[in-house]
Amino acid sequence: MTAMSEAAALGDRLDRLPLSSFHRRLVIALAGMILFEWVETYAFAFVAPALKEQWGLSLSAVALIAGVSQLGAFAGGILGGYLADRVGRRRTMLAFVTVYCAATALCVLVQSPWQLIVVRCAAHFGAQGMAVVAIVVLTEFVPATARGRLQTYKVAVGSLGIPIAAWAGYFLVPQWTWGWRLVFGLGLFGVVFAWMIRRWVPESPRWLASRGEFAQADEIVRSIERQCGTDPRTVPAAEPTGPAPPVPAPPASAPARPRMAELLVGPDRRRFLVVATMWVSGLLAYSTYNTWTPTLLSETGLDLDDTLLLSAALATAAPLGALVAVPLIDRWDRRRTQLVLGILTAATLLLFGLVRAPAAVLVLGCVVSLLFQMAVPFLQVYSAEVFPTRIRALGSGTANALSRIFNFAAPMLVAAVFSGLGYTAVFTFLAVLSLVGGCVAIAFGPGTTGLSLEAATTPNDSRTAEEPVLS
């Protein structure tokens, strides 16, 4: 049996397992860590109006703090992806979780805007490195027919961090001058789930197989099979999930480590460019909306209490969006669903930018939050399943990280658009961005829905036009 056929056999064993307590623990550990990562990430959006008043910050200074944090996320995304492919998923994730927890503790203690910039940059570095590996880990362990669904459950739990940060901002920030420190401190509860990751999440057998460590990979798969109550000799064969991948002989001199150049040349270049465009446009619109809406609403004349209340209500719709996506994500071609979500989001953003009445802002804003959050799991799972195991974390992590560079410039751009063209122009800009990802995926991206990872990552441009879709 060749190395590639042995790796495919391990993947097939993982794909035909029934969902079990192992998969539930995996989702709980990763989702809980993501929840508190999102609390920390979005906390600044809900404390920014108070810091603006307490520290006398200008809108440009708020933009600088928000923008520089994205540099940390950029570095974390690339380094996390590289190390996950180089030294292992589990070891890399635990290292970045440690950085995140330490930086979150320091966020509570800062005394000046410059200190906040430094520690927020470090927190985003750790959070992003952990997040990109978590997406890959869940993708590699879950059977093909449930891959999107479990990723969506993870996003649904993780997105609770947005309303937690929002309501904490509403109840804590106006009460005490130091209330914003308590909001930042909520991220420290992520330590509990870091312990769960250490205890419950093994190394990825697919990664081990890509490194030629088949004995250890087989041992982990056997352990998972026992937890699922199955025996590899008696588990029924998996239903076909697409054309069987070819099994060529491994190259004589395979690279010892993942290389960034592999994303820019060869068969994976097109996939990387598609995924990078989807991440840049999607995350730019999503993050700008979540980060800037409270501040922009306050600039239109709403007082701090009303702004925080409306923002908290809008954030509450986010987890509902992920739950709505659960029955959709594995049913139809992910690319087409992403396009439909983009069209609906763009139309709602245009309306949101035209209204000022609190009731209309609340209704339309909740719809936008719901639609954005529906799109997140589609993007996460798609970006991980299009790359081969050897560069999966590097490819998806780098694409994600590139969006952070654009997010670094986005706060200054939003401030300039708002100052020069007004409130409505900002949301028109976000509406255009919302359309880009789905259009690019439909036009150039490979189909992956329902396919095994081994089949989904087989270079075959003919699958771009038509894909098997689960009924």
Side-chain angles (χ1 to χ4, degrees):
M1 182 180 287
T2 68
M4 290 189 69
S5 62
E6 192 168 351
L10 283 169
D12 179 67
R13 287 167 63 188
L14 290 170
D15 278 342
R16 57 195 173 104
L17 287 174
L19 296 181
S20 69
S21 59
F22 167 78
H23 299 99
R24 288 192 291 274
R25 288 195 299 269
L26 187 69
V27 172
I28 289 170
L30 296 177
M33 195 65 244
I34 294 295
L35 185 154
F36 287 101
E37 179 253 324
W38 281 24
V39 168
E40 194 283 329
T41 298
Y42 289 101
F44 182 71
F46 303 104
V47 306
L51 289 177
K52 188 170 177 287
E53 291 183 5
Q54 287 184 27
W55 288 351
L57 301 176
S58 64
L59 199 61
S60 297
V62 173
L64 179 64
I65 296 173
V68 170
S69 299
Q70 299 302 321
L71 292 180
F74 169 75
I78 290 182
L79 187 59
Y82 173 80
L83 291 176
D85 285 336
R86 173 65 174 153
V87 303
R89 318 307 199 202
R90 184 175 183 273
R91 188 183 306 174
T92 300
M93 191 159 48
L94 289 173
F96 278 90
V97 165
T98 301
V99 172
Y100 158 76
C101 291
T104 298
L106 293 175
C107 281
V108 179
L109 305 175
V110 295
Q111 301 296 322
S112 70
W114 289 110
Q115 291 179 3
L116 184 60
I117 287 174
V118 172
V119 295
R120 291 266 313 158
C121 190
H124 277 247
F125 173 82
Q128 185 63 17
M130 180 271 297
V132 298
V133 183
I135 294 170
V136 169
V137 167
L138 197 56
T139 298
E140 292 183 342
F141 275 110
V142 175
T145 55
R147 196 162 57 225
R149 190 165 74 252
L150 265 63
Q151 196 79 246
T152 305
Y153 284 135
K154 186 205 75 176
V155 172
V157 174
S159 61
L160 288 171
I162 303 176
I164 288 173
W167 286 108
Y170 174 69
F171 286 112
L172 299 177
V173 172
Q175 302 303 318
W176 304 282
T177 56
W178 42 269
W180 58 270
R181 297 183 187 274
L182 296 178
V183 178
F184 280 139
L186 291 174
L188 289 172
F189 286 98
V191 171
V192 175
F193 294 94
W195 175 83
M196 291 182 182
I197 289 174
R198 181 178 179 84
R199 183 175 178 82
W200 289 347
V201 181
E203 184 55 80
S204 166
R206 281 183 159 109
W207 178 80
L208 289 169
S210 75
R211 305 283 296 179
E213 300 177 29
F214 296 107
Q216 187 178 351
D218 179 72
E219 181 181 344
I220 292 173
V221 174
R222 287 181 180 274
S223 173
I224 297 171
E225 288 169 336
R226 288 192 294 269
Q227 293 178 62
C228 293
T230 63
D231 187 310
R233 294 168 298 181
T234 61
V235 175
E239 293 294 326
T241 56
V247 187
S253 56
R257 63 184 65 184
R259 297 180 301 170
M260 189 71 69
E262 294 180 71
L263 302 178
L264 303 176
V265 296
D268 295 307
R269 178 179 60 181
R270 177 171 171 170
R271 295 165 182 254
F272 174 71
L273 293 176
V274 168
V275 171
T277 302
M278 294 174 69
W279 267 113
V280 168
S281 59
L283 195 63
L284 186 55
Y286 176 81
S287 296
T288 301
Y289 174 78
N290 282 296
T291 302
W292 275 94
T293 297
T295 301
L296 292 177
L297 287 173
S298 68
E299 289 291 318
T300 63
L302 290 175
D303 61 34
L304 179 60
D305 285 348
D306 287 340
T307 296
L308 289 174
L309 179 59
L310 280 172
S311 300
L314 300 186
T316 303
L320 299 177
L323 291 177
V324 173
V326 169
L328 306 177
I329 192 166
D330 287 320
R331 184 171 181 81
W332 296 300
D333 189 324
R334 300 198 222 286
R335 300 167 302 168
R336 295 189 178 100
T337 310
Q338 188 86 354
L339 178 60
V340 172
L341 290 175
I343 293 171
L344 294 175
T345 304
T348 311
L349 279 167
L350 290 174
L351 292 174
F352 185 86
L354 295 173
V355 301
R356 296 294 186 277
V361 168
L362 177 61
V363 172
L364 290 172
C366 284
V367 174
V368 172
S369 295
L370 186 144
L371 290 169
F372 267 136
Q373 205 61 31
M374 285 181 68
V376 169
F378 285 88
L379 179 55
Q380 288 193 359
V381 69
Y382 187 78
S383 67
E385 60 192 1
V386 299
F387 293 106
T389 300
R390 189 172 51 80
I391 57 168
R392 179 169 291 124
L394 179 63
S396 60
T398 302
N400 190 327
L402 287 175
S403 68
R404 307 298 173 157
I405 286 293
F406 284 85
N407 273 354
F408 170 70
M412 281 68 83
L413 176 61
V414 170
V417 171
F418 178 76
S419 300
L421 299 175
Y423 179 87
T424 301
V426 173
F427 291 96
T428 302
F429 170 62
L430 298 185
V432 173
L433 287 175
S434 301
L435 288 170
V436 173
C439 293
V440 170
I442 283 288
F444 306 108
T448 59
T449 308
L451 298 175
S452 71
L453 290 178
E454 289 70 29
T457 56
T458 300
N460 183 356
D461 291 341
S462 66
R463 289 208 310 267
T464 300
E466 289 294 333
E467 295 293 333
V469 180
L470 298 181
S471 57

